[in-house]
Amino acid sequence: MLKEFWRESVEVIKEKEQLYQIHEGEYRQAFKQWFNNQAGVLAQTLEEDTPCPVCGSLHHPQKAVLTEDHITKEALDELEKGLKVLEAELA
């Protein structure tokens, strides 16, 4: 009986660890997408004859654009919250 309980407990922990690894990978990918699109986000605020907050230029002939796979900070934060919940379950 104790052996069976132990085996089931180990299986539950393994499943949670696998789930955590999957979610961690999803979060890392989402963070990479978010990070890579920050220039596009910033470019949306640029106005001609107004200094760029990065380089100070007043002219912006080739503004970065958001890619189709961009992710919002809010969506990234939600993924992070879910990851922290799984992390807490493993602690």
Side-chain angles (χ1 to χ4, degrees):
M1 176 131 166
L2 185 58
K3 222 179 199 182
E4 186 177 313
F5 173 76
W6 177 254
R7 191 174 306 126
E8 288 176 8
S9 296
V10 169
E11 286 301 314
V12 167
I13 291 170
K14 284 181 181 180
E15 288 174 8
K16 286 185 179 188
E17 286 176 343
Q18 288 174 343
L19 187 59
Y20 177 81
Q21 293 297 325
I22 291 168
H23 283 281
E24 183 183 35
E26 290 173 356
Y27 174 78
R28 287 178 185 264
Q29 180 62 33
F31 180 83
K32 184 178 177 182
Q33 289 172 322
W34 175 81
F35 185 80
N36 288 340
N37 275 292
Q38 290 311 291
V41 171
L42 182 63
Q44 291 178 327
T45 66
L46 294 176
E47 296 178 13
E48 198 62 24
D49 297 322
T50 303
C52 171
V54 175
C55 68
S57 176
L58 298 175
H59 305 289
H60 320 290
Q62 290 183 307
K63 293 181 185 179
V65 295
L66 288 175
T67 61
E68 288 183 22
D69 69 345
H70 75 278
I71 185 169
T72 66
K73 180 67 169 132
E74 294 78 18
L76 184 65
D77 289 345
E78 285 300 313
L79 287 171
E80 185 177 25
K81 284 180 192 175
L83 190 60
K84 286 183 179 185
V85 168
L86 290 172
E87 212 171 76
E89 288 180 8
L90 287 171

